[in-house]
Amino acid sequence: SSELTQDPVVSVALGQTIRITCQGDSLRSYYASWYQQKPGQAPVVVIYGKNKRPSGIPDRFSGSSSANTASLTITGTQAEDEADYYCNSRDSSGNQVFGGGTKLTVL
Amino acid sequence: QVQLVQSGAEVKKPGSSVKVSCKASGGTFSSNTISWVRQAPGQGLEWMGRIIPILGITNYAQKFQDRVTINADESTSTAYMELSGLRSEDTAVYYCARETSSPPLGVVFDYWGQGTLVTVSS
């Protein structure tokens, strides 16, 4: 079982805002990174560190953290944002661990 | 621009081993950290382990500790992941990814290989 917990499925209306969360004790000490994965493709990082976006990632993606919860927020969700999203951070042994993933459906 | 190119798909028998390669270009290979992540069909991402070539250090997820070996050839900028004792549950896409420190308190997998499908079937 994953030490990072995500809601398996979330949905959002086109153009609306959605927050995807990731819970885990390690998030009290370490930042999460967030990955978008579309079918048949390798994951792509969308947010890392303290709300950093790689070049090419739209600014509608943002990250935040509070206590044991990290959040990925998509403001003004677009159809192309429909994908699986995974959080990642350290586990209790110092190795890396992924959350179980959240499937985002854009209605 | 860093690029990670993995070896091709494999079909293996239960009990055998598989070795997947990941050739890096466009960066300083030795000082990078390369992680391996797998994804079973319809399932999530699972971190397996990492190597820091310049230090010769490896770390493995406890789940794979007894069956996985990760090494690297600095002369060819290639990392390898070998998984032994294969079983049907090991059928998955295996990815290599560059792991970069994201100070002060995190890491990021900023470049990924294209993935290698390993099918374990009798």
Side-chain angles (χ1 to χ4, degrees), chain B residues 100-119:
Chain B
T100 299
S101 294
S102 174
L105 296 172
V107 301
V108 56
F109 298 107
D110 51 2
Y111 293 96
W112 293 70
Q114 82 276 20
T116 296
L117 175 62
V118 175
T119 302

Side-chain angles (χ1 to χ4, degrees), chain B residues 1-5 22-29 32 76-77 111:
Chain B
Q1 179 78 347
V2 174
Q3 197 171 16
L4 302 175
V5 178
C22 171
K23 184 173 177 60
S25 61
T28 307
F29 177 77
N32 288 338
T76 60
S77 299
Y111 293 96

Side-chain angles (χ1 to χ4, degrees), chain A residues 29-33 35 37 40-45 47-50 52 54 84 86 88-90 94-101, chain B residues 35 37 39 43-48 50 59-62 65 95 99 101-115:
Chain A
S29 304
Y30 301 103
Y31 287 117
S33 52
Y35 301 85
Q37 187 181 36
Q41 297 182 19
V44 173
V45 56
I47 290 290
Y48 65 100
K50 189 177 182 181
K52 297 179 182 179
D84 295 328
Y86 295 91
N88 171 267
S89 186
R90 292 178 186 267
N95 287 331
Q96 297 302 118
V97 64
F98 287 92
Chain B
S35 273
V37 177
Q39 186 171 38
Q43 303 300 308
L45 302 174
E46 187 172 30
W47 186 82
M48 300 178 69
R50 66 162 69 89
N59 301 111
Y60 300 122
Q62 187 171 11
Q65 184 82 34
Y95 294 100
E99 181 183 325
S101 294
S102 174
L105 296 172
V107 301
V108 56
F109 298 107
D110 51 2
Y111 293 96
W112 293 70
Q114 82 276 20

